[in-house]
Amino acid sequence: MAAISERVELAKLCSSRDWSKAIRVLDSLLNQSSSIQDICNRAFCYSQLELHKHVVKDCDRALQLDPALLQAYILKGRAFSALGRKEDAVLVWEQGYEHALRQSADLQQLLELKELLSIAERDKSGHENHATEAVSATLVSESTPHVNGISSETCTDQSNLSDQSQLHSESTISSEVHSKSNDNICNGEVDKARGKKKLDSQMNGNHDSFSESPITSEVQSKSNENRCNGIGGKARGKKKFDSQMNENHDIEGKLSNDSEACNDLSDRCNKLPMICSKSSDLAETPPTPPQVNVDFRLSRGIAEVNEGKYPHAISIFDQILKEDPNYPEALIGRGTAYAFQRELTAAIADFTKAMETNPSAAEAWKRRGQARAALGEFTEAIEDLSKALEFEPNSADILHERGIANFKFKDFYTAVEDLSACVKLDKDNTSAYTYLGLALSSIGEYKRAEEVHLKAIQLDRNFLEAWVQLTQFYQDMANPTQAFECLQQALQIDGRFAKAYHLRGLLLHGMGEHSKAIKELSTGLSIESANIECLYLRASCYHAIGEYKPAVRDYDAVLDLELDSMEKFVLQCLAFYQKEIALYTASKLNSEFVWFDIDGDIDSLFKEYWCKRLHPKNVCEKVYRQPPLRESLKKSKLKKLDFSVTKQSTALLQAADCIGKKMQYDCPGFLPNRRQHRMAGLAAIEVAQKVSKAWRSFQAEWKYSNKSTSKNGKRPRRRERINLPSQNRGGAGCSTSTSSDSTSYGITQSKSTGRFMMSWHDVYSVAVKWRQISEPCDPVVWINKLSEEFNAGFGSHTPIILGQAKVVRYFPNFERTFDVAKTIMKERKYVHNKLDGLIDLSGKLQDVMHAKSCADLYRAVGEDFWLATWCNSTAFEGKYLEGTRITLVKLAEQRYDFAIRTPCTPSRWDEFDAEMAMAWEDICNAYCGENYGSTDFNVLEKVRDAILRMTYYWYNFMPLSRGSAAVGFVVMLGLLLAANMEFTGTIPQGLQVDWEAILNVDPNNFVDSIKSWLYPFLKVTSSLKDYPDVGSTLQTTGSVVAALSTSND
């Protein structure tokens, strides 16, 4: 009986032309029973309200149930025609006509299809310009009802009731809301050219596309059909917005078996379109019903939103809501206008009230989800979008929105599911493909990620964001050639695309081409002057190449910018620290490079805050600031004359470039970096030269004394440093250091003989100093030179899996690390909790050993935990050193931080210090004495093995805040060169030397694994004596900076 009463009400509403309320009744009927005719009835009602996208959706749904339903073909074709998609309309009508010829069930509809095709053909030939409007359809008959004296058909096809251009992007509003968001993650812009506001909803700054509903979307499509997620875009050069604020009526509901309770009346309503076309009763109602005026105002309000006239739109919706405070369509319309104005709280309130009035209003759930996502309330947003999907389970739009929300919530696996489902339903959704590529990259499915990024470009080669994301994908894969090609394509599309210049600058910076990066970043900043990422990166490039005046200027500009996100705040903090380091380095330009001593001169509190990226408030209060640039530096950049291009210096740089390239990892995430290669080569040569000098001194003494060994575990003879006074003149480290704790390397002297000597720390300090100055934005410092954090065990943190993301550089080591963790757990039968207490694994080991994932392992243990690898001591028999900690922390459901951490406590430092000292002594003893100066490869075997053992302990020690991997390999190359051996090969693809050390408990196992590929490419050579002395050729800090910055091009 309820169904019968609803059909009675439906007949009355249609008679009074109250299409909005008629749709609500049809929603209710369709929730009870999925009647094909009711779907068509609703499509017809949508057509009367000019909600053409909804007409298409309902017709598609009807045709899925009955592919021969001619009425659906007619309505769908007319909707496409109204949307300006004439070719699609003809295609649909042709399909319907073929079905009609085969069945001839309804001759009138067959004739109408034929007439529609004939008119379309004439229109195509230019004989008629408005053929579609002239069609007398069976669904809107000769007696078409009038609205304010104008036929509704005319309103539909000419002026959209509100005398606005056709409005058809199903959810443009939500896209524009996102583009106006203050965090501007998407780099959306407002283009006011030609006096019109054009909202860019794309990350790439493209001004030509609008998304169906992405308040949350960073990526929008600009496909040829102006579609992104079933989206309408700009038609005939004007911004289009689907006036379907009644979208909440487009509810598919839960399908059930047909159970219509029909009588004559219900049958009559069940064929509503036929009634509308044939019944003269409806046409004989001359007065304009009140609801028509409401629908008219509603359309006007939506049109105003579409034109960007949000305050006026809100006033129209306010009038409607004054008469009916619970009118859901007006609430959704006003909420959308609020959202455009970034009044998201007010928008959410309106959407919520609309849902209270009509809980099945899918559009309200969807839009509130979008608004919540824009506020960063991703959990609530996903809940709302999931609710919307209950009403529209096959909505590509909502799947797209939820996929984006899940991606931003870092639930990448769910994002992949949603976005994959979306592109199955909407195969042309370039935005969905782009986000799908991002999500797939995050979970390590790189091949699929590349394929879907390329698919987005295949669909629309002018879609800038697809080129941007493919660029970043290739950068992550360490494929700069492909990355540059993508950026070139983007700039051919839009030569003023600021993000492309930023990314090109970022890529060049990552490859060590800082001067070239500055040019690209400057071009980007000429387009977007307040881009903090560009400003900070350009400042760091100026800093690196010694142009301190523009570097300080850019750092100051970063500090002066207004902030709207935490990411930008971090850049401001870094700009503060980097400016101080730039001023410190500038003060050392004319001094010998030996006086460049960040570890000795810079205050420990400053270094600690710099490493941790903390707010500099405490630093400003407790640490002296660097003085401003001297006048001489203010007036000119670093002169090229600081680096004299001589035959000697050229030979040195050529040798350094050749040697330094050997440090390159052939792994995803590691771009080839010309500047770092030169740094590595120069550092390796200087290490070799200084070590060779120390060995000559040692050899001279050996001839007159017995060899000293460390087989019995005794420490090497006591050595005393000649302490050099710090030359710092104030600043970040201003003068808390004294002459006794200077870290100037390389000068040690025996009290008894006065001979030149070096400690292991001196050897590595040579490379550390080069690493510090080669990329000054990396906080590379000795951990024992930090503040109290050293006593608390400050150390490095290298994530392998972070949340659900597989870290591109380090995930290849996951399986080995995971297996090592399980092996240690089996052997020790315990792990440590986050408070360092013990967790007994008795009774849990079977689950531990069967674990295949982080979730499995966490479930077996039951809480956050860590365990430590160990290193067998060579210096002290039977002793074990704490190696690296493997940690597993649960961040959220199905999200874990699986990482290696290397804490450096004072006690651990002392243990490794002793081990490193003994390892260094072993190298000296192996080379000096009878083997000194040998060029016999076999004789040098013990030397090679000893060098690899010390490298093993260095990697497990990890005594630097960052850069330990590079420094370790550079010193290894330098020591081999000092012993007359040069590595001429390359590191094998996929192998990371530091991880080989970390995941081996015994140094001999590490030696065996490395020598298999290292030793075959070691060439015995005495070339070291032919290289110019690094210290003499590059005496000053300024000349070092210039040498690193000089290009061979």
Side-chain angles (χ1 to χ4, degrees):
M1 294 301 294
I4 295 175
S5 64
E6 284 184 315
R7 292 196 179 278
V8 170
E9 183 184 1
L10 178 61
K12 293 178 180 178
L13 292 171
C14 290
S15 297
S16 62
R17 312 297 188 270
D18 195 343
W19 307 117
S20 297
K21 291 183 179 178
I23 290 170
R24 293 182 212 167
V25 174
L26 286 164
D27 288 345
S28 176
L29 290 169
L30 285 168
N31 282 334
Q32 300 169 37
S33 173
S34 183
S35 163
I36 297 176
Q37 191 59 56
D38 278 341
I39 295 173
C40 281
N41 287 342
R42 189 170 66 179
F44 168 74
C45 291
Y46 278 134
S47 71
Q48 296 302 103
L49 291 175
E50 302 171 9
L51 306 183
H52 306 301
K53 298 288 283 186
H54 276 302
V55 175
V56 172
K57 290 169 71 175
D58 269 355
C59 289
D60 282 341
R61 182 180 172 192
L63 290 171
Q64 285 179 352
L65 298 173
D66 182 2
L69 188 63
L70 302 186
Q71 190 179 56
Y73 288 108
I74 294 170
L75 283 168
K76 183 178 178 181
R78 290 172 61 79
F80 275 148
S81 181
L83 291 171
R85 296 167 59 180
K86 305 296 184 183
E87 292 181 2
D88 290 335
V90 171
L91 181 62
V92 169
W93 288 331
E94 286 176 345
Q95 293 172 349
Y97 188 65
E98 290 297 321
H99 282 289
L101 288 177
R102 287 197 294 269
Q103 67 180 31
S104 300
D106 190 321
L107 294 177
Q108 185 174 8
Q109 290 181 337
L110 184 149
L111 291 174
E112 180 177 359
L113 283 165
K114 184 177 180 180
E115 179 68 11
L116 286 167
L117 288 169
S118 298
I119 293 174
E121 182 62 30
R122 292 197 301 272
D123 187 42
K124 184 177 180 181
S125 302
H127 296 301
E128 292 185 26
N129 294 324
H130 303 286
T132 304
E133 289 83 352
V135 175
S136 177
T138 50
L139 299 179
V140 184
S141 71
E142 301 83 356
S143 55
T144 303
H146 286 65
V147 180
N148 292 341
I150 304 172
S151 72
S152 63
E153 186 171 335
T154 302
C155 291
T156 300
D157 294 327
Q158 291 183 0
S159 62
N160 281 346
L161 292 178
S162 59
D163 199 27
Q164 302 294 333
S165 60
Q166 290 173 323
L167 311 175
H168 61 80
S169 172
E170 188 162 71
S171 310
T172 304
I173 284 182
S174 54
S175 167
E176 296 190 272
V177 170
H178 172 65
S179 70
K180 292 171 72 70
S181 67
N182 290 332
D183 58 13
N184 198 22
I185 295 174
C186 311
N187 292 333
E189 297 181 356
V190 177
D191 178 6
K192 295 187 178 179
R194 298 181 302 279
K196 293 192 180 247
K197 184 185 293 183
K198 297 186 178 181
L199 297 175
D200 179 1
S201 61
Q202 296 187 7
M203 287 176 69
N204 54 25
N206 180 12
H207 299 290
D208 290 326
S209 69
F210 298 87
S211 166
E212 184 165 5
S213 54
I215 285 180
T216 63
S217 172
E218 295 181 15
V219 181
Q220 304 310 334
S221 169
K222 179 180 168 285
S223 63
N224 291 334
E225 296 184 22
N226 292 308
R227 297 193 62 199
C228 176
N229 193 29
I231 319 160
K234 290 185 177 181
R236 296 184 296 280
K238 294 205 172 194
K239 186 168 70 176
K240 305 299 180 183
F241 173 72
D242 188 350
S243 58
Q244 298 162 347
M245 282 296 91
N246 295 313
E247 277 182 287
N248 57 307
H249 301 303
D250 183 19
I251 301 167
E252 297 195 14
K254 297 180 180 178
L255 302 181
S256 60
N257 295 327
D258 281 351
S259 57
E260 299 178 35
C262 298
N263 56 17
D264 291 341
L265 179 60
S266 64
D267 284 339
R268 184 167 175 263
C269 285
N270 205 31
K271 296 184 178 180
L272 174 62
M274 297 302 295
I275 292 172
C276 291
S277 65
K278 294 180 180 178
S279 171
S280 60
D281 293 338
L282 298 183
E284 291 172 359
T285 309
T288 302
Q291 182 61 31
V292 174
N293 290 328
V294 173
D295 283 344
F296 178 79
R297 283 185 289 165
L298 187 66
S299 296
R300 284 294 303 271
I302 294 165
E304 294 296 275
V305 172
N306 181 57
E307 292 299 313
K309 300 173 183 177
Y310 309 124
H312 190 206
I314 290 170
S315 68
I316 293 173
F317 293 130
D318 284 343
Q319 292 173 9
I320 297 172
L321 291 168
K322 187 175 181 180
E323 298 169 9
D324 183 355
N326 296 318
Y327 199 102
E329 291 78 21
L331 286 166
I332 294 172
R334 188 175 69 178
T336 305
Y338 280 140
F340 269 125
Q341 297 186 147
R342 199 61 188 169
E343 297 177 38
L344 295 176
T345 302
I348 289 171
D350 273 355
F351 297 143
T352 302
K353 189 171 182 180
M355 287 154 42
E356 291 170 354
T357 303
N358 183 7
S360 61
E363 184 66 18
W365 288 100
K366 179 180 74 174
R367 292 194 181 278
R368 190 175 76 171
Q370 295 165 344
R372 283 178 160 176
L375 287 173
E377 299 172 357
F378 295 114
T379 301
E380 296 81 359
I382 291 167
E383 289 174 357
D384 282 351
L385 293 166
S386 298
K387 186 68 175 178
L389 274 172
E390 291 180 13
F391 301 114
E392 298 185 36
N394 293 318
S395 169
D397 173 29
I398 300 173
L399 285 166
H400 178 234
E401 288 300 321
R402 193 174 69 174
I404 293 171
N406 278 313
F407 175 81
K408 292 187 175 183
F409 194 46
K410 303 189 185 304
D411 189 351
F412 302 119
Y413 288 97
T414 306
V416 168
E417 291 177 10
D418 282 346
L419 294 165
S420 297
C422 172
V423 296
K424 285 181 181 178
L425 294 167
D426 183 3
K427 294 180 173 59
D428 296 330
N429 192 332
T430 53
S431 170
Y433 278 115
T434 302
Y435 266 107
L436 180 57
L438 291 171
L440 288 167
S441 291
S442 297
I443 61 176
E445 296 192 29
Y446 303 119
K447 185 176 180 180
R448 281 186 63 197
E450 182 180 19
E451 289 171 355
V452 296
H453 281 310
L454 290 171
K455 177 66 174 178
I457 290 171
Q458 179 186 347
L459 290 169
D460 183 2
R461 291 192 64 81
N462 291 326
F463 182 25
L464 286 169
E465 190 55 39
W467 290 110
V468 165
Q469 298 305 331
L470 191 57
T471 296
Q472 294 180 326
F473 171 81
Y474 285 132
Q475 182 171 346
D476 287 344
M477 294 297 103
N479 188 342
T481 303
Q482 291 279 52
F484 280 122
E485 185 177 327
C486 291
L487 290 173
Q488 185 61 33
Q489 291 289 337
L491 288 171
Q492 286 179 3
I493 297 167
D494 182 359
R496 288 185 57 78
F497 182 29
K499 186 161 189 175
Y501 294 107
H502 174 214
L503 289 177
R504 199 145 69 175
L506 189 64
L507 190 55
L508 288 165
H509 173 271
M511 297 176 67
E513 301 285 355
H514 290 57
S515 295
K516 294 178 181 178
I518 288 170
K519 294 179 182 178
E520 300 295 334
L521 295 167
S522 296
T523 303
L525 285 165
S526 70
I527 301 168
E528 292 182 3
S529 59
N531 186 316
I532 189 171
E533 292 87 356
C534 272
L535 269 174
Y536 176 79
L537 189 59
R538 189 174 69 173
S540 69
C541 289
Y542 278 130
H543 183 171
I545 66 174
E547 297 193 20
Y548 299 106
K549 182 179 179 180
V552 169
R553 180 194 63 213
D554 279 355
Y555 284 137
D556 283 337
V558 171
L559 292 168
D560 290 340
L561 284 176
E562 298 262 336
L563 297 184
D564 55 19
S565 72
M566 181 54 67
E567 291 81 4
K568 295 178 181 179
F569 172 72
V570 171
L571 287 180
Q572 276 198 334
C573 291
L574 288 174
F576 169 84
Y577 298 115
Q578 291 305 133
K579 176 184 173 183
E580 294 296 303
I581 296 297
L583 293 172
Y584 167 78
T585 307
S587 71
K588 300 292 184 182
L589 281 184
N590 297 321
S591 302
E592 291 185 10
F593 188 42
V594 69
W595 299 116
F596 178 81
D597 185 11
I598 286 178
D599 290 288
D601 290 340
I602 304 297
D603 188 271
S604 59
L605 181 67
F606 178 96
K607 290 183 291 186
E608 178 192 328
Y609 274 53
W610 179 29
C611 290
K612 291 184 174 182
R613 303 183 172 192
L614 299 178
H615 195 293
K617 181 176 182 293
N618 285 341
V619 172
C620 294
E621 294 175 351
K622 299 179 181 178
V623 177
Y624 288 108
R625 301 282 298 279
Q626 290 284 345
L629 288 171
R630 296 194 304 270
E631 286 301 314
S632 59
L633 283 174
K634 287 182 178 179
K635 293 177 181 177
S636 64
K637 65 181 182 180
L638 180 67
K639 301 283 187 181
K640 286 189 176 181
L641 56 85
D642 287 342
F643 176 69
S644 302
V645 180
T646 63
K647 183 177 179 180
Q648 188 180 41
S649 63
T650 300
L652 179 60
L653 294 188
Q654 288 177 345
D657 289 343
C658 182
I659 293 170
K661 290 178 182 178
K662 305 299 186 293
M663 71 175 289
Q664 181 65 42
Y665 281 172
D666 187 4
C667 304
F670 292 91
L671 283 169
N673 189 305
R674 182 203 65 80
R675 185 182 178 91
Q676 291 303 307
H677 292 166
R678 179 167 292 180
M679 172 279 296
L682 289 169
I685 293 172
E686 186 171 17
V687 166
Q689 290 172 340
K690 290 186 178 298
V691 167
S692 181
K693 183 178 180 181
W695 283 348
R696 283 197 300 272
S697 178
F698 189 91
Q699 181 67 15
E701 183 180 340
W702 177 83
K703 292 179 180 179
Y704 304 101
S705 63
N706 295 326
K707 285 201 303 180
S708 171
T709 67
S710 56
K711 291 182 180 179
N712 58 4
K714 293 180 180 178
R715 300 293 300 272
R717 70 182 61 195
R718 184 175 180 180
R719 295 165 186 167
E720 186 172 310
R721 295 184 54 114
I722 296 179
N723 296 306
L724 300 176
S726 173
Q727 298 297 304
N728 188 40
R729 294 290 180 264
C734 184
S735 292
T736 56
S737 60
T738 65
S739 62
S740 63
D741 49 31
S742 170
T743 59
S744 296
Y745 63 83
I747 305 176
T748 56
Q749 187 175 19
S750 168
K751 272 190 173 182
S752 59
T753 66
R755 65 182 173 88
F756 182 91
M757 300 176 66
M758 292 182 77
S759 68
W760 73 265
H761 192 277
D762 295 329
V763 174
Y764 281 91
S765 289
V766 175
V768 169
K769 188 167 296 192
W770 280 96
R771 179 66 180 83
Q772 288 171 332
I773 202 163
S774 66
E775 192 52 69
C777 286
D778 290 343
V780 178
V781 296
W782 291 92
I783 289 176
N784 67 327
K785 294 294 181 178
L786 296 177
S787 66
E788 293 302 317
E789 284 300 304
F790 173 59
N791 295 323
F794 178 88
S796 62
H797 171 220
T798 306
I800 303 172
I801 293 177
L802 192 57
Q804 292 182 357
K806 297 174 180 177
V807 179
V808 65
R809 280 191 170 192
Y810 307 119
F811 184 76
N813 302 293
F814 170 75
E815 287 190 15
R816 284 185 64 191
T817 308
F818 197 73
D819 289 342
V820 166
K822 292 198 297 182
T823 300
I824 294 174
M825 294 166 81
K826 181 181 179 181
E827 291 182 5
R828 293 183 176 170
K829 299 181 175 55
Y830 69 86
V831 290
H832 299 269
N833 62 25
K834 57 187 177 183
L835 298 177
D836 296 335
L838 295 182
I839 302 174
D840 186 6
L841 298 180
S842 301
K844 299 179 179 180
L845 287 178
Q846 186 174 358
D847 291 337
V848 166
M849 298 313 294
H850 287 153
K852 301 293 183 184
S853 66
C854 291
D856 293 340
L857 193 58
Y858 190 92
R859 194 178 304 113
V861 176
E863 60 180 296
D864 298 347
F865 68 89
W866 64 269
L867 57 91
T869 63
W870 68 87
C871 307
N872 294 336
S873 172
T874 301
F876 307 100
E877 187 176 353
K879 184 175 181 179
Y880 301 99
L881 306 174
E882 181 184 332
T884 298
R885 291 185 181 182
I886 301 173
T887 65
L888 181 58
V889 176
K890 186 171 183 177
L891 304 176
E893 196 63 34
Q894 297 302 317
R895 297 179 210 182
Y896 301 90
D897 180 356
F898 184 66
I900 59 170
R901 300 172 186 258
T902 310
C904 277
T905 58
S907 59
R908 184 178 182 274
W909 186 280
D910 290 341
E911 289 181 348
F912 269 97
D913 180 40
E915 196 70 43
M916 290 292 291
M918 195 63 70
W920 170 235
E921 183 97 351
D922 287 345
I923 295 172
C924 295
N925 289 333
Y927 185 72
C928 298
E930 295 177 356
N931 296 331
Y932 180 78
S934 175
T935 55
D936 186 322
F937 190 75
N938 293 326
V939 170
L940 295 172
E941 181 178 5
K942 289 185 178 180
V943 181
R944 295 192 296 272
D945 290 354
I947 290 171
L948 288 182
R949 276 194 295 273
M950 187 166 78
T951 302
Y952 167 82
Y953 288 116
W954 169 267
Y955 282 137
N956 279 281
F957 188 8
M958 287 287 177
L960 303 178
S961 58
R962 64 181 300 168
S964 293
V967 168
F969 198 80
V970 166
V971 170
M972 185 186 78
L973 292 178
L975 292 174
L976 288 170
L977 194 60
N980 298 325
M981 291 174 284
E982 182 178 349
F983 177 48
T984 60
T986 57
I987 300 172
Q989 184 178 26
L991 187 140
Q992 298 177 29
V993 182
D994 49 328
W995 285 82
E996 289 297 309
I998 290 167
L999 298 177
N1000 272 298
V1001 300
D1002 189 81
N1004 294 322
N1005 292 339
F1006 170 76
V1007 171
D1008 290 340
S1009 68
I1010 300 301
K1011 70 194 299 184
S1012 64
W1013 56 265
L1014 180 71
Y1015 289 6
F1017 291 98
L1018 283 180
K1019 178 181 72 174
V1020 175
T1021 178
S1022 58
S1023 60
L1024 179 63
K1025 62 182 175 51
D1026 298 325
Y1027 297 149
D1029 181 70
V1030 175
S1032 301
T1033 306
L1034 305 174
Q1035 291 185 348
T1036 66
T1037 301
S1039 64
V1040 167
V1041 171
L1044 291 171
S1045 307
T1046 301
S1047 173
N1048 290 331
D1049 297 341

